[in-house]
Amino acid sequence: MGRRPMKIEDLVRITLVSGPAASPSGREAAFVVTRMDLDANKYFSRIWLLEEDGSYAALTNGPFDVAPEWSPDGRLIAFASRRTLKEKERGGEVWVVRRDGRGEPWMIAKLKGGVENLRWSPDGRWLLLISGVGEPDKDVKVVRRLPYWFNGRGLVYNVYKHLFLLDPRSGEVRQLTKGEREVVSASWSPDGRKVAFVAFSDFLKPYLRDVYVLDVESGEEERITKESMYLLDVEWSPDGEWLAVRGHRMERGFSTHDKVWVLGLDGDLKLVSGDLDVTNSMNSDVRGPGRGRLLQWGRDGYVYFLATDGGTVHLYRASVEGDVELVIGGECVVDEYSLGDGRIFYVRMTSTQLPELWVYEGGEERRVTGFNDALLSELKLVKPEKFTFKASDGATIEGWILKPANFEEGKRYPAIMEIHGGPMTAYGEGFMHEFHALSGAGFVVFYTNPRGSAGYTEEFKDIRYAYGERDYQDIMEAVDYVVKTYGFVDPERIGVTGGSYGGFMTNWIVTHTDRFKAAVTQRSICNWLSFYGTTDIGFWFSRDQIGGDPWDDFERLWEKSPLKHVKNVKTPLLIIHSEQDYRCWLDQALQMFAALKVLGKEVELVVFPEENHDLSRRGKPKHRIERLKRILGWFEKYLKAEEKPTSGEKS
């Protein structure tokens, strides 16, 4: 029996592997396995255990168990869950299970504000965590700060994230930090007496953050950083002398690379990661719930981190002196990792290999799980071909192209260009079910990393105040290159789609050219003026990236808004949006739809209820399937026609 192309419905057969956590011995690992249930329309996650001999089995039964954390003696594993909470009820729970699997897991705490950053103290007496304090008004909303709401969290105007200690024996919860501020991340000192944490208190500038050290017994805290920076993570070194932090000084605003710094307890700061873009910005629609530990200290005294490098994500390490070494590289994405004793447990994927758990040991890599082997054995997946071209200003642009799964020589095929979000993210070796499903349906799929993308230089990444200019040129020149180079692409049947920034760019494209015969814009932006005041990040993101405030810079924001140019649209446009998308609010879709309907253009609007900005990645399984069917149906309607012979170019 031959292999078949990937279908949209195969999405729910994919097993999501994520969240590895090395045991204290460093020879075993707990990790998370998530599966989609189409009938229940939910995700079900369980904690699994990888033993030293390579065998692995489920340790918990779910239905939503994530973020495993080992006790220092290796006997217990704490994890976050929602076992007793109703479907839409706010909050989270902390549970504990024995490593040997004897007996049932038991709940030790339920917190209305959720559970994040779960960490055992070095002596095993406490669990450190971050949870929300406060709740929005149940009836009339009285708002005194921004943001009003936040994507994926809902209303947040009365909620502040703080540090808590949890006694795993009694379930007693003690709040460590207070006030109108928000804690972002935290780490124990090696002796367990102190906690370092990143926090901010200026909600109009939530990107200006500081590192504090708190004495657990006395409750006293000290600000360590001498200057506020955009900081994401903090990790205490094993010798207790340094704090590793990830972030930047915003020299290029949010287009600045995240970097790794070592911070002395006296406040002195030293860069150790060089020019690397220290982030995992790779796009993928097959990720499970992770632990968010991009930055970790090794027992060898090095600080380890992930960095996006073009179309790949690799694991590096740096010494306190700033010597940087590649640890795990290759044409792949190292998606998550956890440091053991001589072993590194990590989740790895490529553009044709679904995420699985791997082990790095003695300079060698080996795959240890095969949850998706059966599915992949059925499928005919096309490996994307990488290409590069010189843009008109001399810069090198990277891209990839997938042939249709049932490609035949001598035919020309309709093609779809995909544009990533961000714009400071990347395409490459991240597995994209969507791309393979479109390839399986008979389309060429191609995608690039134009100016604004992560993983290259800061200059390449910096398109502040110039959205729709050099980035737009790169995208259109990529179309020219693909049509010229690949004779199997029908130049008269090319569509375009993208989400978030990619949705903005799709809107910009259809208001500036009729080159594409169909377009699908998703979770998009069409009006920077209204985006400014209606979204969770608009009031600072617009100023940083577009270059102003509506009252002082009206013309600048309006000129960069696709809605201003909407009369130019000739391309049939499908608009997909989520009802609870607070990153790019629903008003963006409604404005674009209303304008095009009034102008008599070909347009359709599809709104997904009870979904947010992450519909394509973490939406309800049925909605994810429906979204893909709507995209495919739109492109089949406008791009599918009788196949034409090629003219003999590259195939």
Side-chain angles (χ1 to χ4, degrees), residues 462-478:
D462 189 358
I463 58 170
R464 288 174 301 160
Y465 319 153
Y467 279 34
E469 297 177 23
R470 188 63 252 182
D471 49 348
Y472 170 71
Q473 288 179 261
D474 288 350
I475 289 167
M476 298 310 296
E477 290 170 14

Side-chain angles (χ1 to χ4, degrees), residues 32-169:
V32 179
V33 175
T34 304
R35 293 187 171 97
M36 291 176 243
D37 187 311
L38 196 59
D39 292 332
N41 203 22
K42 294 180 180 178
Y43 298 80
F44 292 102
S45 299
R46 298 193 291 177
I47 308 298
W48 283 57
L49 178 66
L50 173 70
E51 301 199 51
E52 186 171 359
D53 63 3
S55 62
Y56 53 95
L59 194 59
T60 72
N61 292 321
F64 189 74
D65 302 339
V66 299
E69 295 293 328
W70 293 79
S71 63
D73 61 10
R75 296 173 55 215
L76 303 174
I77 298 174
F79 59 93
S81 189
R82 289 182 51 87
R83 292 184 175 212
T84 70
L85 294 170
K86 297 177 182 178
E87 185 172 353
K88 297 181 183 179
E89 185 178 356
R90 287 178 180 249
E93 303 160 351
V94 179
W95 290 67
V96 174
V97 64
R98 290 169 57 104
R99 176 256 171 258
D100 59 17
R102 295 179 181 175
E104 291 294 317
W106 64 97
M107 185 174 71
I108 56 175
K110 181 186 292 188
L111 297 101
K112 290 184 178 180
V115 177
E116 300 175 26
N117 201 92
L118 193 61
R119 306 274 188 112
W120 287 90
S121 62
D123 60 7
R125 290 182 57 198
W126 301 99
L127 280 160
L128 178 71
L129 59 91
I130 296 173
S131 187
V133 176
E135 57 184 338
D137 301 305
K138 295 181 179 179
D139 188 13
V140 177
K141 315 300 180 191
V142 181
V143 183
R144 296 185 176 88
R145 76 160 172 90
L146 289 171
Y148 172 72
W149 48 29
F150 202 85
N151 189 69
R153 290 173 60 189
L155 298 176
V156 295
Y157 62 90
N158 278 342
V159 180
Y160 302 91
K161 289 187 177 181
H162 282 291
L163 281 177
F164 290 82
L165 284 184
L166 169 61
D167 186 333
R169 294 169 296 277

